[in-house]
mmCIF file of all heavy atoms in Angstrom:
data_model
loop_
_atom_site.group_PDB
_atom_site.id
_atom_site.type_symbol
_atom_site.label_atom_id
_atom_site.label_comp_id
_atom_site.label_asym_id
_atom_site.label_seq_id
_atom_site.Cartn_x
_atom_site.Cartn_y
_atom_site.Cartn_z
ATOM 1 N N ASP E 88 -20.581 -8.081 19.055
ATOM 2 C CA ASP E 88 -21.393 -9.024 19.799
ATOM 3 C C ASP E 88 -22.645 -8.337 20.386
ATOM 4 O O ASP E 88 -22.567 -7.184 20.849
ATOM 5 C CB ASP E 88 -20.550 -9.632 20.895
ATOM 6 C CG ASP E 88 -19.553 -10.637 20.365
ATOM 7 O OD1 ASP E 88 -19.389 -10.712 19.116
ATOM 8 O OD2 ASP E 88 -18.913 -11.349 21.191
ATOM 9 N N ARG E 89 -23.748 -9.045 20.388
ATOM 10 C CA ARG E 89 -25.020 -8.485 20.861
ATOM 11 C C ARG E 89 -24.888 -8.046 22.342
ATOM 12 O O ARG E 89 -25.583 -7.138 22.760
ATOM 13 C CB ARG E 89 -26.152 -9.500 20.725
ATOM 14 C CG ARG E 89 -26.517 -9.746 19.312
ATOM 15 C CD ARG E 89 -27.661 -10.758 19.189
ATOM 16 N NE ARG E 89 -27.923 -11.130 17.816
ATOM 17 C CZ ARG E 89 -28.580 -10.357 16.952
ATOM 18 N NH1 ARG E 89 -29.094 -9.228 17.367
ATOM 19 N NH2 ARG E 89 -28.749 -10.741 15.700
ATOM 20 N N ALA E 90 -24.060 -8.747 23.060
ATOM 21 C CA ALA E 90 -23.940 -8.453 24.502
ATOM 22 C C ALA E 90 -23.121 -7.173 24.768
ATOM 23 O O ALA E 90 -23.085 -6.676 25.883
ATOM 24 C CB ALA E 90 -23.288 -9.615 25.209
ATOM 25 N N ALA E 91 -22.491 -6.675 23.708
ATOM 26 C CA ALA E 91 -21.605 -5.493 23.902
ATOM 27 C C ALA E 91 -22.399 -4.263 24.332
ATOM 28 O O ALA E 91 -23.547 -4.064 23.925
ATOM 29 C CB ALA E 91 -20.857 -5.157 22.608
ATOM 30 N N ALA E 92 -21.783 -3.452 25.160
ATOM 31 C CA ALA E 92 -22.396 -2.191 25.591
ATOM 32 C C ALA E 92 -22.468 -1.262 24.359
ATOM 33 O O ALA E 92 -21.484 -0.983 23.698
ATOM 34 C CB ALA E 92 -21.585 -1.502 26.674
ATOM 35 N N ARG E 93 -23.701 -0.798 24.058
ATOM 36 C CA ARG E 93 -23.948 -0.020 22.870
ATOM 37 C C ARG E 93 -23.125 1.273 22.878
ATOM 38 O O ARG E 93 -22.560 1.653 21.847
ATOM 39 C CB ARG E 93 -25.459 0.298 22.831
ATOM 40 C CG ARG E 93 -26.009 0.570 21.505
ATOM 41 C CD ARG E 93 -27.531 0.725 21.626
ATOM 42 N NE ARG E 93 -28.047 1.518 20.516
ATOM 43 C CZ ARG E 93 -28.347 0.983 19.307
ATOM 44 N NH1 ARG E 93 -28.170 -0.300 19.098
ATOM 45 N NH2 ARG E 93 -28.809 1.736 18.326
ATOM 46 N N ALA E 94 -23.095 1.923 24.029
ATOM 47 C CA ALA E 94 -22.382 3.209 24.086
ATOM 48 C C ALA E 94 -20.888 3.022 23.810
ATOM 49 O O ALA E 94 -20.241 3.797 23.126
ATOM 50 C CB ALA E 94 -22.615 3.879 25.443
ATOM 51 N N ALA E 95 -20.335 1.945 24.410
ATOM 52 C CA ALA E 95 -18.894 1.670 24.219
ATOM 53 C C ALA E 95 -18.606 1.360 22.747
ATOM 54 O O ALA E 95 -17.626 1.853 22.202
ATOM 55 C CB ALA E 95 -18.486 0.502 25.119
ATOM 56 N N ALA E 96 -19.478 0.601 22.134
ATOM 57 C CA ALA E 96 -19.280 0.260 20.715
ATOM 58 C C ALA E 96 -19.390 1.509 19.868
ATOM 59 O O ALA E 96 -18.579 1.680 18.921
ATOM 60 C CB ALA E 96 -20.332 -0.781 20.287
ATOM 61 N N MET E 97 -20.310 2.398 20.185
ATOM 62 C CA MET E 97 -20.484 3.646 19.410
ATOM 63 C C MET E 97 -19.221 4.522 19.554
ATOM 64 O O MET E 97 -18.810 5.145 18.596
ATOM 65 C CB MET E 97 -21.701 4.403 19.845
ATOM 66 C CG MET E 97 -22.992 3.793 19.299
ATOM 67 S SD MET E 97 -24.393 4.902 19.630
ATOM 68 C CE MET E 97 -25.656 4.098 18.620
ATOM 69 N N ARG E 98 -18.655 4.543 20.771
ATOM 70 C CA ARG E 98 -17.437 5.343 20.984
ATOM 71 C C ARG E 98 -16.318 4.854 20.031
ATOM 72 O O ARG E 98 -15.598 5.639 19.462
ATOM 73 C CB ARG E 98 -16.990 5.280 22.440
ATOM 74 C CG ARG E 98 -17.550 6.382 23.296
ATOM 75 C CD ARG E 98 -16.766 6.568 24.580
ATOM 76 N NE ARG E 98 -16.749 5.353 25.419
ATOM 77 C CZ ARG E 98 -17.756 5.000 26.234
ATOM 78 N NH1 ARG E 98 -18.807 5.800 26.342
ATOM 79 N NH2 ARG E 98 -17.717 3.875 26.959
ATOM 80 N N VAL E 99 -16.182 3.536 19.952
ATOM 81 C CA VAL E 99 -15.110 2.965 19.105
ATOM 82 C C VAL E 99 -15.402 3.342 17.612
ATOM 83 O O VAL E 99 -14.525 3.753 16.911
ATOM 84 C CB VAL E 99 -14.955 1.456 19.282
ATOM 85 C CG1 VAL E 99 -13.945 0.920 18.323
ATOM 86 C CG2 VAL E 99 -14.618 1.127 20.720
ATOM 87 N N LEU E 100 -16.633 3.201 17.250
ATOM 88 C CA LEU E 100 -16.996 3.507 15.846
ATOM 89 C C LEU E 100 -16.751 4.982 15.522
ATOM 90 O O LEU E 100 -16.236 5.315 14.448
ATOM 91 C CB LEU E 100 -18.478 3.189 15.591
ATOM 92 C CG LEU E 100 -18.829 1.674 15.534
ATOM 93 C CD1 LEU E 100 -20.334 1.508 15.459
ATOM 94 C CD2 LEU E 100 -18.157 1.000 14.356
ATOM 95 N N ARG E 101 -17.088 5.874 16.438
ATOM 96 C CA ARG E 101 -16.846 7.307 16.229
ATOM 97 C C ARG E 101 -15.358 7.559 16.078
ATOM 98 O O ARG E 101 -14.935 8.323 15.235
ATOM 99 C CB ARG E 101 -17.413 8.113 17.438
ATOM 100 C CG ARG E 101 -18.934 8.249 17.388
ATOM 101 C CD ARG E 101 -19.369 9.079 16.205
ATOM 102 N NE ARG E 101 -19.037 10.471 16.292
ATOM 103 C CZ ARG E 101 -18.873 11.280 15.224
ATOM 104 N NH1 ARG E 101 -19.018 10.812 14.019
ATOM 105 N NH2 ARG E 101 -18.543 12.524 15.402
ATOM 106 N N ARG E 102 -14.570 6.899 16.953
ATOM 107 C CA ARG E 102 -13.125 7.094 16.903
ATOM 108 C C ARG E 102 -12.570 6.613 15.565
ATOM 109 O O ARG E 102 -11.574 7.116 15.062
ATOM 110 C CB ARG E 102 -12.452 6.335 18.052
ATOM 111 C CG ARG E 102 -11.125 6.864 18.505
ATOM 112 C CD ARG E 102 -10.763 6.428 19.926
ATOM 113 N NE ARG E 102 -10.759 4.984 20.095
ATOM 114 C CZ ARG E 102 -11.372 4.365 21.084
ATOM 115 N NH1 ARG E 102 -12.003 5.055 22.010
ATOM 116 N NH2 ARG E 102 -11.376 3.055 21.186
ATOM 117 N N ARG E 103 -13.212 5.625 14.988
ATOM 118 C CA ARG E 103 -12.763 5.090 13.673
ATOM 119 C C ARG E 103 -13.309 5.898 12.519
ATOM 120 O O ARG E 103 -13.093 5.543 11.371
ATOM 121 C CB ARG E 103 -13.203 3.632 13.555
ATOM 122 C CG ARG E 103 -12.483 2.748 14.550
ATOM 123 C CD ARG E 103 -12.927 1.265 14.378
ATOM 124 N NE ARG E 103 -12.596 0.773 13.051
ATOM 125 C CZ ARG E 103 -11.383 0.335 12.699
ATOM 126 N NH1 ARG E 103 -10.429 0.308 13.586
ATOM 127 N NH2 ARG E 103 -11.175 -0.082 11.426
ATOM 128 N N GLY E 104 -14.041 6.990 12.818
ATOM 129 C CA GLY E 104 -14.489 7.864 11.746
ATOM 130 C C GLY E 104 -15.816 7.541 11.150
ATOM 131 O O GLY E 104 -16.156 8.063 10.090
ATOM 132 N N VAL E 105 -16.586 6.675 11.741
ATOM 133 C CA VAL E 105 -17.920 6.393 11.241
ATOM 134 C C VAL E 105 -18.838 7.575 11.517
ATOM 135 O O VAL E 105 -18.942 8.030 12.666
ATOM 136 C CB VAL E 105 -18.506 5.096 11.907
ATOM 137 C CG1 VAL E 105 -19.950 4.853 11.467
ATOM 138 C CG2 VAL E 105 -17.654 3.894 11.577
ATOM 139 N N PRO E 106 -19.522 8.071 10.493
ATOM 140 C CA PRO E 106 -20.365 9.255 10.711
ATOM 141 C C PRO E 106 -21.531 8.932 11.646
ATOM 142 O O PRO E 106 -22.008 7.794 11.683
ATOM 143 C CB PRO E 106 -20.940 9.577 9.289
ATOM 144 C CG PRO E 106 -20.057 8.808 8.353
ATOM 145 C CD PRO E 106 -19.485 7.656 9.109
ATOM 146 N N LEU E 107 -21.960 9.954 12.376
ATOM 147 C CA LEU E 107 -23.095 9.791 13.342
ATOM 148 C C LEU E 107 -24.283 9.100 12.691
ATOM 149 O O LEU E 107 -24.918 8.229 13.297
ATOM 150 C CB LEU E 107 -23.511 11.145 13.880
ATOM 151 C CG LEU E 107 -22.663 11.737 14.998
ATOM 152 C CD1 LEU E 107 -23.091 13.176 15.296
ATOM 153 C CD2 LEU E 107 -22.783 10.876 16.262
#
Side-chain angles (χ1 to χ4, degrees):
D88 287 10
R89 290 180 188 281
R93 204 175 157 83
M97 283 190 170
R98 268 198 300 278
V99 177
L100 288 173
R101 284 295 291 154
R102 205 160 55 229
R103 295 180 59 82
V105 174
L107 279 173

